[in-house]
Amino acid sequence: GEDVEQSLFLSVREGDSSVINCTYTDSSSTYLYWYKQEPGAGLQLLTYIFSNMDMKQDQRLTVLLNKKDKHLSLRIADTQTGDSAIYFCAERTLNTGFQKLVFGTGTRLLVSP
Amino acid sequence: NAGVTQTPKFQVLKTGQSMTLQCAQDMNHEYMSWYRQDPGMGLRLIHYSVGAGITDQGEVPNGYNVSRSTTEDFPLRLLSAAPSQTSVYFCASSALGGGEDTQYFGPGTRLTVL
């Protein structure tokens, strides 16, 4: 079956870079996503990457995909206190049906001043 | 556009009570889904629908019913609430199509079953 794993917690100082990691098991992944959840709110899509890409950059966000190792990472440059949130990776796979997303457990990012 | 709306925001139920969580979207999206979010477990798919009149089970469907009589609405029913259903429930919608189609999430309903 499909499984998506993330570390639970990351703490960084304001201005540093943050790297949030995610591993997945389903090799039929087509798209991989990063969502942000602020306290008391729903999930907001940050960025996504197609499985035939290695890297995608979007302003302060850089997504790296290592398909051989089934490893996805999100780098946030110049992290700000407003980036404190829970970050979820999710995959869309052929095995689960094209419309379904499988989510990781979420990584809580704490940015201290 | 209001996007995806959910009501109520908070609800407390006693074991055995029934209730319906409401979800509506005004983006004419074909795909709608319900997730539950529990600490340390991420989001798990309960039920989903690819259009009016079409629903299917997700990963954790037991104890929940859904129907989709219109494109806009996708209510989630708890027939006999149990403490194990204490969770935060999110509704999401997206257009059917390629992976670029964003899933839009509602603000969530926090449910406590005593």
Side-chain angles (χ1 to χ4, degrees), chain A residues 28-41:
Chain A
S28 73
S29 288
T30 55
Y31 287 87
L32 295 120
Y33 305 82
W34 284 104
Y35 282 84
K36 177 183 180 182
Q37 184 183 31
E38 297 186 1

Side-chain angles (χ1 to χ4, degrees), chain B residues 57-110:
Chain B
Q57 295 181 349
E59 185 185 355
V60 288
N62 292 341
Y64 308 95
N65 279 354
V66 292
S67 59
R68 183 95 179 269
S69 55
T70 67
T71 299
E72 294 79 19
D73 300 297
F74 190 44
L76 178 73
R77 296 185 189 85
L78 283 71
L79 297 176
S80 179
S84 62
Q85 293 178 304
T86 294
S87 188
V88 182
Y89 291 85
F90 289 100
C91 178
S93 76
S94 69
L96 281 181
E100 297 91 349
D101 293 311
T102 302
Q103 283 210 15
Y104 293 86
F105 283 80
T109 294
R110 187 174 294 273

Side-chain angles (χ1 to χ4, degrees), chain A residues 62-82:
Chain A
T62 302
V63 179
L64 295 178
L65 175 60
N66 182 327
K67 200 169 180 183
K68 173 175 165 290
D69 294 338
K70 299 189 184 70
H71 182 267
L72 180 75
S73 68
L74 174 70
R75 179 177 179 270
I76 305 173
D78 188 26
T79 313
Q80 303 297 306
T81 54

Side-chain angles (χ1 to χ4, degrees), chain A residues 3 7 11 15 18 47-48 52-53 56 70 72 79:
Chain A
D3 196 18
S7 53
S11 179
S18 307
T47 186
Y48 68 89
N52 69 353
M53 297 169 64
K56 181 177 180 180
K70 299 189 184 70
L72 180 75
T79 313

Side-chain angles (χ1 to χ4, degrees), chain B residues 10-103:
Chain B
F10 301 94
Q11 183 70 50
V12 178
L13 293 177
K14 293 182 180 178
T15 297
Q17 285 185 313
S18 62
M19 80 158 295
T20 299
L21 279 63
Q22 302 291 345
C23 174
Q25 51 91 10
D26 61 359
M27 297 172 280
N28 203 31
H29 284 162
E30 301 95 336
Y31 182 79
M32 296 185 74
S33 56
W34 277 102
Y35 293 88
R36 60 178 288 174
Q37 182 181 27
D38 300 296
M41 300 189 76
L43 275 77
R44 292 181 292 168
L45 183 65
I46 305 171
H47 285 284
Y48 68 98
S49 168
V50 296
I54 306 168
T55 64
D56 204 349
Q57 295 181 349
E59 185 185 355
V60 288
N62 292 341
Y64 308 95
N65 279 354
V66 292
S67 59
R68 183 95 179 269
S69 55
T70 67
T71 299
E72 294 79 19
D73 300 297
F74 190 44
L76 178 73
R77 296 185 189 85
L78 283 71
L79 297 176
S80 179
S84 62
Q85 293 178 304
T86 294
S87 188
V88 182
Y89 291 85
F90 289 100
C91 178
S93 76
S94 69
L96 281 181
E100 297 91 349
D101 293 311
T102 302
Q103 283 210 15

